[in-house]
Amino acid sequence: MPAPAGTKRIKGLQITRPFVFGSIARPIDPNKKPPNLPAEHTHQWTVFVKGVDDVDISYWLKKVQFKLHETYANALRTIDGPPFEVTETGWGEFEVQIKLHIISEANEKPAILWHALKLHPYGENAEQQRERREPIISQNYEEIMFADPTEQFYDIMTGGGPQQQASKGKGTGKGSKQAAYARGGGGGDGGRTSEIPVKESPGNPYSQDTEAKELDRLKEAIKQVDQMVLKERVTLAERERVLEEAKKVEGLQVKKK
Ligand code: SLL
């Protein structure tokens, strides 16, 4: 029996797409607090899901549901299109459940993520951040993976855009799809690529540049550890030598007795 339209899958293929999710919170200046805000609300925050470098991801992400803490009215917030975000004010930190609904062509179940909303500075420069009332950003880079995608979804992911659509028909066979994917299918179509950007930019610390810097840092750290090991070896050899000397002296003394 043939598979129903739109559900035929390309076995063995995996498509991944990067995205970023997290929150940004700002302390509310008590002197500028809007009068309608509840007295106990200390922060304004936004929880979001977006593309790396704000690239559009709505070609695969249809809808996002943010489940807030039960102290919020209508805790389940459904966002039907970009920007996929919820802005609120409040007083406390909590875990936000984030449900990603993929476009129907994918025939996939929603993916669930959790994000710990951060209102208070943390980490190395927490004190400084607090004093300067800087925004508190907590975000994660993530990659979603679609295994055995449906043919329809594959087409959308790898260039269902207007230009590509026009050239379609020339190689819609399974083999050519896999070949296209192996070439990095989907590149050159705005956001339809899984490459991370070359340079970082304000609000997006994830780039090939930061990755290279991190690798440099790791190499430097390995060098330092190697040096420490070497130093320890020299110290150990020196101690062993001293011990041998001491034994010799002791031997002499024993003989003398
Ligand atoms: C805590 N476990 O106690 C957490 C719960 C809930 C935060 C934090 C509600 C705002 C409102 C709000 O800020 N809830 O009144 O609508 O820290």
Side-chain angles (χ1 to χ4, degrees):
M1 199 172 70
T7 59
K8 192 156 175 257
R9 290 182 178 266
I10 309 170
K11 292 273 160 58
L13 209 68
Q14 292 179 350
I15 303 183
T16 57
R17 285 295 177 270
F19 65 96
V20 177
F21 70 101
S23 59
I24 175 163
R26 293 184 178 83
I28 297 169
D29 186 340
N31 302 317
K32 293 181 193 153
K33 197 166 173 164
N36 53 340
L37 262 194
E40 66 277 16
H41 285 201
T42 52
H43 290 75
Q44 181 176 65
W45 51 259
T46 300
V47 57
F48 58 82
V49 177
K50 59 180 189 169
V52 173
D53 245 353
D54 279 327
V55 74
D56 178 41
I57 53 172
S58 63
Y59 67 92
W60 60 264
L61 184 61
K62 184 177 62 180
K63 171 169 104 175
V64 178
Q65 286 182 302
F66 298 91
K67 200 163 169 196
L68 309 182
H69 192 262
E70 63 204 21
T71 43
Y72 282 92
N74 312 314
L76 184 66
R77 307 288 171 92
T78 302
I79 310 298
D80 283 311
F84 297 106
E85 58 180 44
V86 169
T87 298
E88 266 292 353
T89 61
W91 49 264
E93 298 181 335
F94 59 93
E95 294 271 336
V96 186
Q97 191 203 63
I98 303 175
K99 209 182 222 182
L100 306 181
H101 296 262
I102 315 305
I103 55 167
S104 58
E105 288 84 348
N107 206 8
E108 294 281 350
K109 284 194 202 112
I112 294 180
L113 306 165
W114 288 89
H115 173 69
L117 174 69
K118 292 262 173 261
L119 300 187
H120 308 292
Y122 56 99
E124 275 175 45
N125 304 317
E127 211 36 61
Q128 245 180 23
Q129 270 189 295
R130 196 188 313 274
E131 275 164 24
R132 293 192 200 145
R133 309 175 73 82
E134 283 176 19
I136 297 94
I137 301 172
S138 168
Q139 58 180 1
N140 295 287
Y141 173 92
E142 191 54 84
E143 278 174 8
I144 189 163
M145 199 258 282
F146 304 101
D148 305 336
T150 65
E151 292 198 339
Q152 251 185 316
F153 185 59
Y154 177 85
D155 283 344
I156 292 167
M157 295 301 266
T158 55
Q163 296 131 336
Q164 270 94 345
Q165 206 97 73
S167 65
K168 236 174 92 179
K170 271 182 208 160
T172 42
K174 204 169 168 182
S176 66
K177 277 178 189 171
Q178 273 161 351
Y181 186 68
R183 290 194 303 270
D189 183 32
R192 301 190 191 202
T193 165
S194 57
E195 301 253 311
I196 58 174
V198 177
K199 290 260 169 228
E200 64 191 274
S201 56
N204 172 42
Y206 310 105
S207 69
Q208 293 173 33
D209 205 35
T210 40
E211 193 175 45
K213 279 185 192 144
E214 187 59 28
L215 278 175
D216 282 349
R217 264 199 293 276
L218 285 174
K219 273 189 206 147
E220 197 45 48
I222 290 171
K223 235 197 261 171
Q224 272 179 25
V225 170
D226 281 347
Q227 258 159 15
M228 281 159 77
V229 170
L230 207 67
K231 224 170 120 190
E232 283 302 315
R233 279 211 193 113
V234 171
T235 314
L236 191 65
E238 177 63 15
R239 287 209 182 123
E240 274 169 357
R241 200 184 57 76
V242 172
L243 193 66
E244 280 308 308
E245 286 298 315
K247 273 185 192 157
K248 269 187 217 157
V249 174
E250 200 180 331
L252 284 177
Q253 280 168 351
V254 171
K255 270 183 202 159
K256 251 194 216 165
K257 270 184 201 166

